[in-house]
Amino acid sequence: MIKVAIIFHSRSGNVFKLAAAAAAAAEKAGAEPKLLKVGELPDPMVLDKEAYDSVESATADVPVATLDDLLWADAIMIGSPVHFGLPAPQILNFIDHSGPVAIPGKLVDKAVTVFASGSAAHAGQQTTILALHNAVCHWGSLIVPNGSSVEILASEHNGSPYGTCSISRHLASEVHEDNLRAIEHQTQRLVEVATAYGIGLRQTESAIKYVGLEDLARKFPHLSMD
Ligand SMILES: Cc1cc2nc3c(=O)[nH]c(=O)nc-3n(C[C@H](O)[C@H](O)[C@H](O)COP(=O)(O)O)c2cc1C
């Protein structure tokens, strides 16, 4: 069973709503989801205190993501609010601390996908997702974008091939139904890619065992078999 870590930060509930929908979708796709929030910073910038407090109590039982969760997962979803066209600092702080597992290459070959929520259209959702893709390259993980793979992604509320985006207009938990369907598709696609890639890797391993490394090196001299 594919293990999916859904790691998010949310201060007014929009990303949390997408993340919770992703967890439900992962389960529906036959995977094992783990919904995880990143740790808060000492001095967070809070626009809407009432919404912030209500997200804090709604997520009180959600565990804080750790590096062990990254190791546990076959597939990882990262959800962030847009902050000046960038991911929230809480998400970046979590990524900054991923060195002990990322540098030795322990995140290589995991399937990773990213989603975001911003207050306005064309105001940085895609740049936020792409910024996080940079870190995924450093991890050596596989980026799984949405593309235009299903019709719902062409809805006027969706339209981002990079990953699901919601437009909240600064309202709390204001996620459109089409965004929920997009994140469901994004999750299902991630599980499919992680499953297919895992099967592919196992087949490659058994092919190497069956044929033998020296034989493969002779047949494919341009590949390093070290
Ligand atoms: C410091 C800060 C900067 C923000 N910058 C942007 C921005 O560049 N573009 C945008 O669309 N929304 C921006 N927003 C709004 C949030 O991204 C938006 O309200 C989002 O839906 C919040 O997600 P959440 O409800 O999960 O916290 C900003 C919010 C804050 C607090």
Side-chain angles (χ1 to χ4, degrees), residues 9-16 45 47 81-85 117-120 123-125 168 170-171 173:
H9 173 69
S10 185
R11 55 190 53 227
S12 56
N14 292 287
V15 176
F16 174 45
M45 215 296 278
L47 284 177
V82 181
H83 280 201
F84 293 102
S117 176
S119 61
Q125 289 97 336
S168 64
H170 282 304
L171 296 171
S173 302

Coordinates of all heavy atoms in Angstrom, one line a residue, residues 9-16 45 47 81-85 117-120 123-125 168 170-171 173, ligand 1:
H9 N 0.7 23.9 5.7 CA 0.6 25.0 6.6 C -0.7 25.7 6.2 O -1.0 25.9 5.0 CB 1.8 25.9 6.6 CG 1.6 27.1 7.5 ND1 1.5 27.0 8.8 CD2 1.3 28.4 7.1 CE1 1.2 28.2 9.3 NE2 1.1 29.1 8.3
S10 N -1.4 26.2 7.2 CA -2.7 27.0 6.9 C -3.0 27.9 8.0 O -2.9 27.5 9.2 CB -3.8 26.0 6.7 OG -5.0 26.6 6.3
R11 N -3.2 29.2 7.7 CA -3.6 30.1 8.8 C -5.0 30.5 8.8 O -5.5 31.0 9.8 CB -2.6 31.3 8.8 CG -2.6 32.0 7.5 CD -1.5 33.1 7.5 NE -0.3 32.4 7.9 CZ 0.6 32.9 8.7 NH1 0.4 34.0 9.4 NH2 1.7 32.3 9.0
S12 N -5.7 30.3 7.6 CA -7.1 30.6 7.7 C -8.0 29.5 7.0 O -9.1 29.7 6.5 CB -7.4 32.0 7.0 OG -6.9 32.1 5.7
G13 N -7.4 28.3 7.0 CA -8.2 27.1 6.7 C -8.3 26.7 5.2 O -8.8 25.6 5.0
N14 N -7.9 27.5 4.3 CA -8.0 27.1 2.9 C -7.1 25.9 2.5 O -7.6 24.9 2.0 CB -7.7 28.3 2.0 CG -8.8 29.3 2.1 OD1 -9.9 29.2 1.7 ND2 -8.5 30.4 2.8
V15 N -5.8 26.0 2.8 CA -4.9 24.9 2.5 C -5.3 23.7 3.4 O -5.2 22.5 2.9 CB -3.4 25.3 2.8 CG1 -2.5 24.2 2.5 CG2 -3.1 26.5 1.9
F16 N -5.7 23.9 4.6 CA -6.1 22.8 5.4 C -7.3 22.0 4.8 O -7.3 20.8 4.8 CB -6.5 23.3 6.8 CG -7.1 22.2 7.7 CD1 -6.5 21.0 7.9 CD2 -8.2 22.5 8.5 CE1 -7.0 20.0 8.7 CE2 -8.8 21.5 9.3 CZ -8.2 20.3 9.4
M45 N 2.9 35.9 11.1 CA 2.2 37.1 10.7 C 0.7 36.7 10.5 O 0.4 35.9 9.7 CB 2.7 37.6 9.4 CG 2.7 39.1 9.2 SD 1.0 39.7 9.2 CE 0.6 39.4 7.5
L47 N -3.2 37.7 9.8 CA -4.1 38.7 9.3 C -5.5 38.7 10.0 O -6.0 39.7 10.4 CB -4.3 38.6 7.8 CG -3.2 39.0 6.9 CD1 -3.6 38.7 5.4 CD2 -2.9 40.5 7.0
P81 N 0.0 28.2 1.7 CA -0.6 29.5 1.3 C 0.5 30.3 0.5 O 1.7 30.0 0.7 CB -0.9 30.2 2.6 CG -0.7 29.2 3.7 CD 0.2 28.2 3.2
V82 N 0.0 31.2 -0.3 CA 1.0 32.1 -1.1 C 1.3 33.3 -0.2 O 0.4 33.9 0.4 CB 0.3 32.6 -2.3 CG1 1.2 33.5 -3.1 CG2 -0.2 31.5 -3.2
H83 N 2.6 33.5 0.0 CA 3.1 34.7 0.7 C 4.0 35.5 -0.2 O 5.1 35.1 -0.5 CB 3.9 34.3 2.0 CG 3.0 33.9 3.1 ND1 3.4 33.9 4.4 CD2 1.7 33.5 3.1 CE1 2.4 33.6 5.2 NE2 1.3 33.3 4.4
F84 N 3.5 36.6 -0.7 CA 4.2 37.4 -1.7 C 4.8 36.6 -2.8 O 6.0 36.7 -3.2 CB 5.3 38.2 -0.9 CG 4.8 39.2 0.0 CD1 4.7 39.0 1.4 CD2 4.2 40.4 -0.5 CE1 4.2 39.9 2.2 CE2 3.7 41.4 0.4 CZ 3.7 41.1 1.7
G85 N 4.0 35.7 -3.3 CA 4.4 34.9 -4.5 C 5.3 33.7 -4.1 O 5.8 33.0 -4.9
S117 N -2.8 27.9 -2.0 CA -4.0 28.8 -1.9 C -3.5 30.2 -1.8 O -2.6 30.5 -1.0 CB -4.9 28.4 -0.7 OG -5.9 29.3 -0.6
G118 N -4.1 31.1 -2.6 CA -3.8 32.5 -2.5 C -5.1 33.3 -2.5 O -6.2 32.8 -2.7
S119 N -4.9 34.6 -2.2 CA -6.2 35.4 -2.1 C -6.7 35.8 -3.5 O -7.9 36.1 -3.6 CB -5.9 36.6 -1.3 OG -4.9 37.4 -1.9
A120 N -5.9 35.9 -4.5 CA -6.3 36.4 -5.8 C -5.8 35.6 -6.9 O -4.7 35.0 -6.8 CB -5.9 37.9 -6.0
A123 N -1.8 35.8 -8.7 CA -1.1 36.5 -7.7 C -0.1 35.6 -6.9 O 0.2 35.9 -5.8 CB -2.1 37.1 -6.7
G124 N 0.4 34.6 -7.7 CA 1.5 33.9 -7.1 C 1.3 32.4 -6.7 O 2.2 31.8 -6.2
Q125 N 0.1 31.8 -7.1 CA 0.0 30.4 -6.7 C 1.0 29.6 -7.5 O 1.6 28.7 -6.9 CB -1.5 29.9 -7.1 CG -2.5 30.4 -6.2 CD -3.2 31.6 -6.8 OE1 -2.6 32.3 -7.6 NE2 -4.4 31.9 -6.4
S168 N -8.9 32.4 -2.4 CA -9.7 32.6 -1.2 C -10.3 34.0 -1.1 O -11.2 34.1 -0.2 CB -8.9 32.2 0.0 OG -7.8 33.2 0.1
H170 N -9.1 36.2 0.6 CA -8.9 36.5 2.0 C -10.0 36.0 2.9 O -10.1 36.4 4.0 CB -8.6 38.0 2.2 CG -7.3 38.5 1.8 ND1 -6.1 37.9 2.3 CD2 -6.9 39.4 1.0 CE1 -5.1 38.5 1.8 NE2 -5.5 39.4 0.9
L171 N -10.8 35.1 2.4 CA -11.9 34.5 3.2 C -11.4 33.2 3.8 O -10.5 32.5 3.2 CB -13.2 34.3 2.4 CG -13.8 35.5 1.9 CD1 -14.9 35.2 0.9 CD2 -14.3 36.4 3.0
S173 N -11.4 29.4 4.8 CA -11.9 28.1 4.3 C -12.9 28.2 3.1 O -13.9 27.6 3.0 CB -12.7 27.4 5.4 OG -11.8 27.2 6.5
Ligands
LIG1 C1 2.1 37.6 4.6 C2 1.1 37.3 3.6 C3 1.4 37.4 2.2 C4 0.4 37.0 1.3 N1 0.8 37.2 0.0 C5 -0.1 36.8 -1.0 C6 0.2 36.8 -2.4 O1 1.3 37.2 -2.8 N2 -0.7 36.4 -3.3 C7 -2.0 36.0 -2.9 O2 -2.8 35.6 -3.8 N3 -2.3 35.9 -1.6 C8 -1.4 36.3 -0.6 N4 -1.7 36.1 0.7 C9 -3.1 35.6 1.1 C10 -3.0 34.1 1.4 O3 -2.2 33.4 0.5 C11 -4.5 33.5 1.2 O4 -5.3 34.2 2.0 C12 -4.5 32.0 1.3 O5 -5.8 31.6 0.9 C13 -4.4 31.6 2.8 O6 -4.4 30.2 2.9 P1 -4.9 29.6 4.3 O7 -6.3 29.9 4.5 O8 -4.7 28.1 4.1 O9 -4.0 30.2 5.4 C14 -0.8 36.5 1.7 C15 -1.1 36.3 3.0 C16 -0.1 36.7 4.0 C17 -0.4 36.5 5.4

